Amino acid sequence: MAMLGYALLAAVALVPVAANSAPIVAPVEVMVLGAYHFGNPGLDTHNVKVDSVLIPKRQRDLDRVAKALAMFRPTHVMVEMQSEAPDFAIAEYASFNDAMLAKEANEIVQIGYRTARQAGLKTVNGIDEQSKDGEPDYYPYSKVQETAAKFGQTAALEALGVPVVAWLKNFEAAQKTHSVGQMLLKMNDPAGIQGNMDSYYGMLAIGDRDAQTGADLNAAWYLRNAKIFGKLMQVAKPGDRVLVVYGGGHGFWLRHFAGLVPGYRNVDVLPYLAKAK
């Protein structure tokens, strides 16, 4: 009986496992470009003063950026804009032309649309998520400030912004000698201010046992970015290559999801930007 048992085990071992395995599915490759706001809307807690990107020199810079990003061969370009279409298609992109590039100082147009055209895409997807009628508030910073004032934590809260302000001043000054491609390299540098969550995580201590508004802000910011990536997932199919053009502050979480969600792979944008310097 022992010999028969060994024979059966050997026979089982010889059965090809691959015959019953699920087919290999190509991952969705996601490349996140964290951009600074060319139009400088002043909506962030700390805002950078941006030189005009509409002048010929900057337009040449942006052409190089688009050509470099198009080397990724994106099947989708997704941007920081909301769309009610079933696939989040942005209607405005259908009328995109050089005249729009000459007057619209917005990274969605200047990088998103420009790169999509360079890649031969007929659609750009707007996957942004915003508060509806003020609820939920995805960045309740004013509540954090109120709590900090109540518990004598204002100095600690303001200290979290010091490195951010210093980085932004350095960034503003660098525009005088750097191309747009070089500025985007700074914005997407994992060792830079956008590569970590220090200022966010520092806010976790703001409040007390009952009023943990710093933790609330972190949870709300995570939720907004999770919903953004969720919209990306509703459009992307296995084997797609998705270029995401978004405000730099979203980069940490969007890359987090791209790198950890099963079936997705994060692609480093820096080698592509290096070609645009």
Side-chain angles (χ1 to χ4, degrees):
M1 290 295 292
M3 290 299 292
L4 179 59
Y6 284 123
L8 287 171
L9 287 173
V12 170
L14 291 174
V15 176
V17 176
N20 296 319
S21 298
I24 297 174
V25 178
V28 176
E29 296 191 341
V30 179
M31 188 167 77
V32 179
L33 173 70
Y36 53 106
H37 294 306
F38 294 165
N40 194 24
L43 300 178
D44 298 325
T45 303
H46 302 288
N47 296 280
V48 61
K49 295 179 181 178
V50 179
D51 293 342
S52 174
V53 297
L54 300 180
I55 62 175
K57 175 183 176 181
R58 294 310 189 193
Q59 286 296 296
R60 290 192 295 271
D61 285 350
L62 285 161
D63 276 338
R64 287 194 294 271
V65 169
K67 289 175 181 176
L69 294 174
M71 292 179 186
F72 173 58
R73 293 179 288 107
T75 56
H76 295 284
V77 171
M78 303 192 183
V79 298
E80 191 172 354
M81 182 184 287
Q82 290 184 294
S83 171
E84 299 301 322
D87 59 352
F88 309 116
I90 297 173
E92 178 187 64
Y93 178 64
S95 58
F96 171 65
N97 55 28
D98 289 342
M100 191 180 294
L101 283 176
K103 64 181 181 181
E104 293 288 339
N106 183 299
E107 65 278 4
I108 292 171
V109 173
Q110 295 293 335
I111 298 180
Y113 293 179
R114 191 193 299 251
T115 303
R117 182 173 70 177
Q118 183 72 31
L121 300 181
K122 295 181 179 180
T123 302
V124 171
N125 308 101
I127 58 171
D128 198 27
E129 173 68 18
Q130 294 285 349
S131 300
K132 298 175 179 65
D133 298 324
E135 295 293 338
D137 184 350
Y138 290 121
Y139 195 77
Y141 190 69
S142 61
K143 293 182 180 179
V144 177
Q145 290 177 307
E146 292 171 6
T147 304
K150 179 178 180 180
F151 296 107
Q153 299 167 322
T154 297
L157 178 60
E158 292 177 348
L160 295 173
V162 171
V164 179
V165 172
W167 187 90
L168 289 176
K169 287 184 177 179
N170 178 275
F171 189 88
E172 290 173 357
Q175 293 178 93
K176 297 177 182 178
T177 56
H178 287 54
S179 68
V180 174
Q182 290 171 316
M183 298 303 292
L184 290 170
L185 277 168
K186 281 180 170 289
M187 181 65 66
N188 290 272
D189 182 358
I193 205 75
Q194 302 288 10
N196 63 61
M197 291 288 289
D198 292 359
S199 61
Y200 285 90
Y201 289 167
M203 281 188 271
L204 290 171
I206 301 298
D208 71 350
R209 181 187 61 190
D210 299 315
Q212 292 184 270
T213 53
D216 290 339
L217 182 144
N218 271 271
W221 186 242
Y222 176 93
L223 177 61
R224 181 183 173 195
N225 285 285
K227 288 189 173 185
I228 291 166
F229 200 84
K231 290 180 179 180
L232 180 154
M233 295 176 69
Q234 292 171 30
V235 176
K237 300 293 187 294
D240 275 342
R241 300 168 65 83
V242 183
L243 170 64
V244 179
V245 180
Y246 243 80
H250 296 268
F252 180 92
W253 282 121
L254 295 180
R255 292 187 181 101
H256 166 88
F257 293 125
L260 293 179
V261 172
Y264 287 74
R265 186 171 77 87
N266 180 56
V267 177
D268 188 0
V269 72
L270 295 185
Y272 292 89
L273 289 175
K275 298 175 183 178
K277 290 195 300 182

